[in-house]
Amino acid sequence: MKNIVLKQGRRFLSFFLAVSLLCACAPPNKSPAAPTGAGYEQFHARDLSAQNKFDQFTNDLFREEISDSGISFHFSIADPASRGLDTVPLTLGDFSLDKMKQGSKDLRELKMKLEDFNPRQLTDEQRLTWQILRSYINTELASDGLELYAQPLTTTIGIQAQLPILFSEYAFYTRDDVDHYLALLSTIDDYYGQIMEFEKKKSEAGLFMSDATADHVLKSCEAYLIQPDHSFLADTFNTRVDALTDLTDEEKASYKEKNLKVLEEHFIPAYKNLVNGITALMGTGTNDKGLSQYPKGKEYFEYLVNSNTGTSYGSIRNLTKAIEKQLNSDIQAIGQITKEHPEVLDHLDNYSFHYTKPEDILDFLKTQISSDFPELPPCSYTVKYVPNSLEASLSPAFYLVPPLDRYEDNVIYINGNPRFQNDDLFTTLAHEGYPGHLYQNVYFLSSKPNDLRSILSFPSYSEGWATYVEFYSYTMDNGLPPGLGELLAHNTAVTLGIYAYLDICINYEGWDKEQTAKYLGTFYNIEKTDIVDSIYNSLIENPTNYMEYYVGYMEIMEMLGTAKKILKDDFNLKDFHTFLLNTGPAPFSVIQPAFRTWLSKQLRNQ
């Protein structure tokens, strides 16, 4: 369900900048009795100068960010020459402890540069960007000294699982792209070597993963140990090369041979070295419980929550109370639905949607959302299936964010693994496609935002929106009996809420597996050991991952409820959705104040 991105060690901005919607104060009213024309013009001249400098500042920052990694560079912009960029970085980046520590110094320097600007002199859009960077810096500096707590290798969403997918989707626009691809793929063994050096330092500090987690990571690595001529990276490469029109048949054949050689000499050895390196470190990770069991684990968890969810709740305690409140609300809604429609219980194990084929579902969703969501510009999408060899190590589905200058082309992956056979494809595609990730990204990129904003990633805004609209899709005219869609939506929300709540209990409060099992058995009648083990292990291996989804959903639902309560009959769902979409990716700590401003304007317009 991820917007797939390559998470690297924190560097200057690490692609996880904050987007602020808090409107700073406008320039103060100048009210001398009769301001002279010269004074007025001088005031605006200073503003224009500051605005031009700020544009240059953000443009330089954008160029620096995407130039740190060849993968990030290529996936950020399809036509780099249009931004004056003519050198493709032929590296996957620097994943080292020294680089991470340097990142803190860079952030402090950036903060000083940012504070040289007076936000009152900037345009509204620039003022947002100013707030974005300030919010990001303050959040990321909280991780200073906690670099070794980072987890580059994790099941499903770790670098070792995601990077090959990005290579398989590396677009070939010209022959140069093929050369760049092969050069980048040739560095993967060196890049993974850096990661293993980092893992060794984690081990020396007593912070290496548990053996159970290591086993799961090893399985995901082993999925890529396929002979080159049978690898999905050979198949996808051949398809992309064959589509190029500026290559002869002989050149295409030559490139295919080169790719097989790179896979044999660099890609497969990279994964073998990961397997050997992780195996050698097994036994050094003595903590098989949550983050709270590490010396600074609770501190790191607080950082992760703020960085990954951008929540508006000021403390873990307040956030926990909000999760409990939303959980109770969804549980009460389930009770009310079953009271009004007792017959829905008979359909829980036997229901179907009108459409079951991906293309039919997406076409239906596009037409159904027109009444409650603003219109999109023309765009296309391709639905692909996860290669069989990778089904066990990847998410049920995911969406690839397109380059900022090529939002028209979108890709959605579906995982056909039998363990996901009970997932509803209809609502999954609402999450990944319309009106989920695809819709939200196309809407935002088509608005031509500042280049820097276009590369910012806020997991909880993105996943919160996609989760919210996934639940919305249950209530469409989709073929379900009356009441069943609402019941399924609330039930899924409760399931996700349980994960978010337990994430805090395990990684912050220190619950062990027995406490987790007691909670699930007492309150939700979940007593199967394999289910408890699965939940417990997934939360240990990927702290705050489920919170990205649930906290975003919860924050949106809180705003939705407030808007309905205050605006009453004047509430318009499309207007509310337009506000969230126009705001764009941001932490909820700054979306909430912007929402209150929007709400005040709606009241005045009544």
Side-chain angles (χ1 to χ4, degrees):
M1 296 181 183
K2 283 283 183 183
N3 258 336
I4 191 167
V5 291
L6 177 60
K7 295 187 178 182
Q8 302 193 46
R10 190 186 68 196
R11 51 179 302 278
F12 195 29
L13 294 179
S14 302
F15 279 59
F16 297 99
L17 307 179
V19 182
S20 172
L21 301 167
L22 177 63
C23 294
C25 297
N29 289 327
K30 299 286 183 176
S31 54
T36 63
Y40 183 82
E41 290 300 325
Q42 288 174 0
F43 173 76
H44 282 280
R46 289 196 299 271
D47 289 350
L48 289 173
S49 176
Q51 291 163 15
N52 290 335
K53 289 180 180 178
F54 191 78
D55 280 341
Q56 187 62 51
F57 171 72
T58 56
N59 288 339
D60 290 345
L61 197 52
F62 166 78
R63 292 158 65 92
E64 181 177 347
E65 280 304 295
I66 68 169
S67 296
D68 188 64
S69 159
I71 285 286
S72 298
F73 187 95
H74 188 72
F75 277 84
S76 295
I77 186 165
D79 182 17
S82 66
R83 301 303 195 275
L85 294 163
D86 53 10
T87 303
V88 177
L90 300 180
T91 173
L92 292 176
D94 180 355
F95 201 109
S96 67
L97 183 58
D98 288 341
K99 183 67 173 180
M100 292 181 179
K101 291 181 177 179
Q102 181 62 42
S104 292
K105 296 179 181 178
D106 292 339
L107 283 172
R108 285 191 285 270
E109 292 179 6
L110 178 63
K111 184 174 183 177
M112 293 177 61
K113 292 179 181 179
L114 186 65
E115 290 176 347
D116 284 340
F117 291 97
N118 180 355
R120 294 182 176 183
Q121 293 182 307
L122 305 179
T123 65
D124 290 344
E125 181 180 353
Q126 290 175 325
R127 197 174 299 123
L128 292 179
T129 304
W130 187 91
Q131 294 281 354
I132 289 166
L133 296 179
R134 185 178 65 170
S135 176
Y136 168 80
I137 292 169
N138 291 336
T139 298
E140 292 305 309
L141 283 177
S143 68
D144 190 14
L146 302 173
E147 292 83 5
L148 284 175
Y149 283 82
Q151 298 173 289
L153 304 177
T154 65
T155 55
T156 307
I157 61 174
I159 290 176
Q160 87 290 345
Q162 291 192 355
L163 185 53
I165 294 296
L166 294 178
F167 271 118
S168 74
E169 288 296 331
Y170 192 103
F172 294 165
Y173 304 115
T174 67
R175 71 164 65 225
D176 288 341
D177 294 314
V178 185
D179 292 326
H180 298 155
Y181 170 93
L182 293 172
L184 284 170
L185 188 59
S186 297
T187 69
I188 192 171
D189 44 356
D190 291 335
Y191 184 62
Y192 282 2
Q194 294 178 37
I195 292 177
M196 279 313 308
E197 286 301 313
F198 180 78
E199 293 292 343
K200 289 177 183 177
K201 288 183 169 62
K202 284 175 65 75
S203 174
E204 293 168 2
L207 300 175
F208 190 66
M209 67 187 83
S210 69
D211 284 359
T213 299
D215 278 334
H216 295 155
V217 174
L218 287 173
K219 288 179 181 178
S220 72
C221 291
E222 290 166 357
Y224 295 103
L225 297 179
I226 305 171
Q227 287 302 313
D229 55 350
H230 290 85
S231 172
F232 76 100
L233 282 176
D235 294 337
T236 56
F237 180 89
N238 294 346
T239 299
R240 284 171 287 162
V241 165
D242 285 337
L244 288 174
T245 58
D246 60 341
L247 294 176
T248 65
D249 289 342
E250 291 75 14
E251 289 172 325
K252 291 178 181 179
S254 175
Y255 271 130
K256 292 174 183 178
E257 287 299 319
K258 289 179 181 178
N259 182 52
L260 290 176
K261 186 175 182 181
V262 171
L263 289 173
E264 181 178 4
E265 297 180 356
H266 296 280
F267 182 81
I268 293 178
Y271 277 89
K272 286 183 178 179
N273 290 338
L274 274 186
V275 170
N276 293 335
I278 294 171
T279 301
L281 293 176
M282 290 181 71
T284 65
T286 57
N287 177 25
D288 59 357
K289 299 178 182 178
L291 275 175
S292 65
Q293 303 303 307
Y294 292 116
K296 295 184 178 179
K298 294 182 71 170
E299 183 181 347
Y300 187 68
F301 183 76
E302 289 176 343
Y303 157 72
L304 282 181
V305 169
N306 289 324
S307 181
N308 292 340
T309 75
T311 181
S312 64
Y313 296 94
S315 68
I316 299 296
R317 181 179 181 181
N318 289 341
L319 179 59
T320 304
K321 289 181 178 179
I323 291 174
E324 291 173 335
K325 181 180 178 181
Q326 183 62 50
L327 265 172
N328 289 333
S329 175
D330 283 310
I331 291 171
Q332 289 173 7
I334 291 174
Q336 187 63 31
I337 292 169
T338 55
K339 181 179 179 180
E340 296 176 357
H341 302 279
E343 70 280 1
V344 299
L345 298 176
D346 298 330
H347 299 287
L348 283 176
D349 296 324
N350 184 26
Y351 66 86
S352 61
F353 292 88
H354 277 319
Y355 301 97
T356 56
K357 294 181 179 179
E359 290 75 12
D360 293 340
I361 292 172
L362 289 166
D363 286 343
F364 173 78
L365 288 168
K366 284 170 64 176
T367 60
Q368 284 289 300
I369 66 175
S370 59
S371 61
D372 288 337
F373 297 83
E375 187 177 357
L376 280 189
C379 64
S380 63
Y381 61 82
T382 302
V383 176
K384 298 184 178 182
Y385 287 87
V386 171
N388 292 339
S389 60
L390 307 183
E391 288 180 345
S393 59
L394 291 175
S395 301
F398 52 86
Y399 164 78
L400 287 164
V401 180
L404 65 93
D405 54 347
R406 208 176 179 93
Y407 65 81
E408 298 88 354
D409 301 332
N410 298 271
V411 176
I412 295 173
Y413 268 91
I414 298 173
N415 191 336
N417 192 300
R419 66 192 172 110
F420 303 129
Q421 64 183 355
N422 293 326
D423 291 6
D424 292 320
L425 185 59
F426 182 91
T427 54
T428 295
L429 289 176
H431 183 113
E432 306 297 343
Y434 296 94
H437 288 316
L438 183 156
Y439 175 92
Q440 183 268 322
N441 278 278
V442 170
Y443 186 96
F444 183 66
L445 292 176
S446 66
S447 70
K448 305 297 181 185
N450 175 282
D451 282 349
L452 184 60
R453 286 201 65 181
S454 71
I455 63 171
L456 312 183
S457 174
F458 287 95
S460 206
Y461 173 87
S462 175
E463 298 300 347
W465 169 266
T467 301
Y468 162 74
V469 298
E470 174 187 343
F471 297 162
Y472 166 93
S473 72
Y474 275 108
T475 65
M476 292 179 174
D477 181 17
N478 51 32
L480 298 182
L484 181 57
E486 290 87 346
L487 178 66
L488 292 172
H490 287 293
N491 186 64
T492 307
V494 168
T495 302
L496 191 57
I498 292 171
Y499 275 78
Y501 180 76
L502 287 176
D503 199 337
I504 295 174
C505 294
I506 294 169
N507 288 299
Y508 192 74
E509 300 297 342
W511 282 17
D512 58 22
K513 190 176 294 186
E514 287 70 29
Q515 289 171 292
T516 303
K518 182 178 179 180
Y519 169 81
L520 291 172
T522 301
F523 294 102
Y524 299 101
N525 200 31
I526 299 174
E527 296 181 345
K528 290 186 177 180
T529 304
D530 58 338
I531 296 178
V532 174
D533 288 348
S534 176
I535 294 174
Y536 190 80
N537 292 334
S538 66
L539 293 173
I540 287 175
E541 294 171 9
N542 298 295
T544 75
N545 183 38
Y546 288 96
M547 291 180 71
E548 293 175 7
Y549 296 77
Y550 191 75
V551 172
Y553 155 76
M554 182 179 70
E555 297 263 8
I556 291 174
M557 290 299 293
E558 191 276 332
M559 288 185 283
L560 178 64
T562 299
K564 288 181 175 180
K565 180 179 179 180
I566 292 178
L567 298 178
K568 297 182 174 61
D569 292 341
D570 290 315
F571 173 77
N572 183 284
L573 187 56
K574 178 181 279 190
D575 290 345
F576 175 72
H577 290 158
T578 301
F579 156 72
L580 289 174
L581 292 162
N582 285 343
T583 296
F588 289 97
S589 58
V590 291
I591 293 178
Q592 288 280 4
F595 165 70
R596 292 191 287 272
T597 299
W598 173 82
L599 198 56
S600 296
K601 290 181 179 178
Q602 298 299 304
L603 284 170
R604 288 197 299 271
N605 290 337
Q606 288 179 11

